[in-house]
């Protein structure tokens, strides 16, 4: 396989790896929010009463929503990377095929 095709394959594999890494980070964020953060806020709300507790828990809920939104955004970025990598991969392979078929 010519080096240019090897490079195309390596770049495509790297883009897919990076998209997978973003998916894992998004999953970790969701696990953090749902498995640790939200139960912690519920525990604080159960044990701490008063106006300050309500303000704190409301701010905590906003932070939790922002983290969940970030996880969703990361998934969208990962999917975009996959789509762009696939399009680029196909286009570059087609260019190599055309170049290989040329005679001068």
């Amino acid at each position: 396989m010519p080096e240019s095709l090897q490079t195309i394959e390596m770049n495509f594999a790297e883009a897919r790896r990076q998209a997978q890494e973003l998916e894992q980070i998004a999953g970790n964020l969701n696990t953090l929010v749902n498995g640790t953060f939200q139960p912690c806020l519920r525990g604080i709300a159960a044990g701490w009463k008063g106006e300050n507790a309500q303000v704190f828990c409301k701010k905590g809920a906003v932070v939790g929503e922002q983290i969940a939104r970030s996880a969703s955004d990361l998934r969208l970025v990962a999917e975009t990377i996959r789509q762009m990598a696939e399009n680029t991969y196909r286009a570059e392979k087609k260019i190599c095929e055309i170049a290989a078929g040329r005679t001068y």
Side-chain angles (χ1 to χ4, degrees):
M1 184 184 303
E3 184 175 306
S4 61
L5 287 177
Q6 289 176 342
T7 301
I8 292 168
E9 296 286 341
M10 288 174 39
N11 289 342
F12 183 57
E14 179 62 15
R16 290 176 40 200
R17 185 198 63 75
Q18 289 175 349
Q20 179 62 34
E21 188 174 334
L22 288 176
E23 287 277 353
Q24 289 174 345
I25 292 169
N28 291 344
L29 287 174
N30 278 334
T31 299
L32 174 72
V33 167
N34 297 322
T36 304
F37 190 76
Q38 294 299 340
C40 180
L41 280 180
R42 285 192 294 273
I44 289 170
W48 184 17
K49 301 299 177 194
E51 187 177 328
N52 288 337
Q54 291 174 350
V55 171
F56 181 87
C57 288
K58 283 182 184 177
K59 287 183 179 182
V62 168
V63 169
E65 290 170 7
Q66 289 172 339
I67 293 170
R69 198 171 316 117
S70 293
S72 178
D73 290 346
L74 284 174
R75 284 193 171 88
L76 289 174
V77 169
E79 184 55 33
T80 301
I81 288 171
R82 283 189 189 98
Q83 289 174 354
M84 291 177 68
E86 181 71 30
N87 292 343
T88 302
Y89 175 77
R90 287 182 182 173
E92 289 179 342
K93 282 197 72 163
K94 186 68 174 173
I95 290 167
C96 285
E97 290 170 9
I98 291 169
R102 287 189 179 162
T103 57
Y104 296 96

